[in-house]
């Protein structure tokens, strides 16, 4: 992943484990898992988390209509032909969790966090 794609609090995968970004430097990121795991690692060692309906629900999205979900008055739709979600108002493609978090932050000024389930 590239540094310019990431913000503090973004969820990523490290060694197949969900972690979140707690710090960003020129050479890598500091990641936590919320249970005591704390590591600084190069950007190449982390991977994006593919966005799924299950994860949208963990962020608080509610089913809207068909393959659409509502998250804080924004409609997130699934585009089967592109195999990705997109924000209906902005047209931004959302393939990964960190992209949804970044869009949410840009639109609201607040961090988007997952529930524990």
């Amino acid at each position: 992943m590239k540094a310019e794609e990431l913000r503090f609090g973004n969820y990523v995968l490290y060694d197949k484990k969900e972690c979140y970004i707690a710090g960003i430097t020129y050479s890598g990121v500091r990641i936590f898992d919320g249970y005591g795991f704390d590591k600084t690692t190069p950007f190449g060692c982390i991977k994006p988390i593919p966005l799924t309906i299950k994860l949208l629900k963990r962020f608080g999205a509610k089913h809207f209509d068909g393959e659409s979900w509502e998250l804080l008055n924004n409609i997130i739709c699934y585009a089967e032909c592109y195999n990705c979600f997109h924000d209906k108002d902005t047209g931004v493609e959302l393939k990964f969790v960190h992209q949804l978090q970044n869009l949410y932050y840009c639109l609201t000024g607040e961090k988007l966090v997952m529930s524990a389930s």
Side-chain angles (χ1 to χ4, degrees), residues 47-106:
K47 304 291 181 224
I49 299 172
L51 187 58
T52 64
I53 290 172
K54 182 179 178 181
L55 290 171
L56 277 173
K57 289 179 184 179
R58 283 182 64 192
F59 282 116
K62 305 290 184 213
H63 187 252
F64 183 72
D65 181 34
E67 295 190 43
S68 299
W69 296 82
E70 182 181 11
L71 183 63
L72 193 71
N73 297 324
N74 282 47
I75 306 301
I76 308 296
C77 301
Y78 185 73
E80 192 169 338
C81 56
Y82 296 110
N83 195 30
C84 72
F85 293 91
H86 68 277
D87 178 73
K88 189 172 180 178
D89 289 337
T90 64
V92 172
E93 285 188 5
L94 303 165
K95 292 183 179 184
F96 303 108
V97 167
H98 72 278
Q99 294 171 328
L100 175 64
Q101 288 181 286
N102 293 346
L103 177 65
Y104 186 89
Y105 183 82
C106 288

Side-chain angles (χ1 to χ4, degrees), residues 3 41 51 107-108:
T41 187
L51 187 58
L107 295 174
T108 67

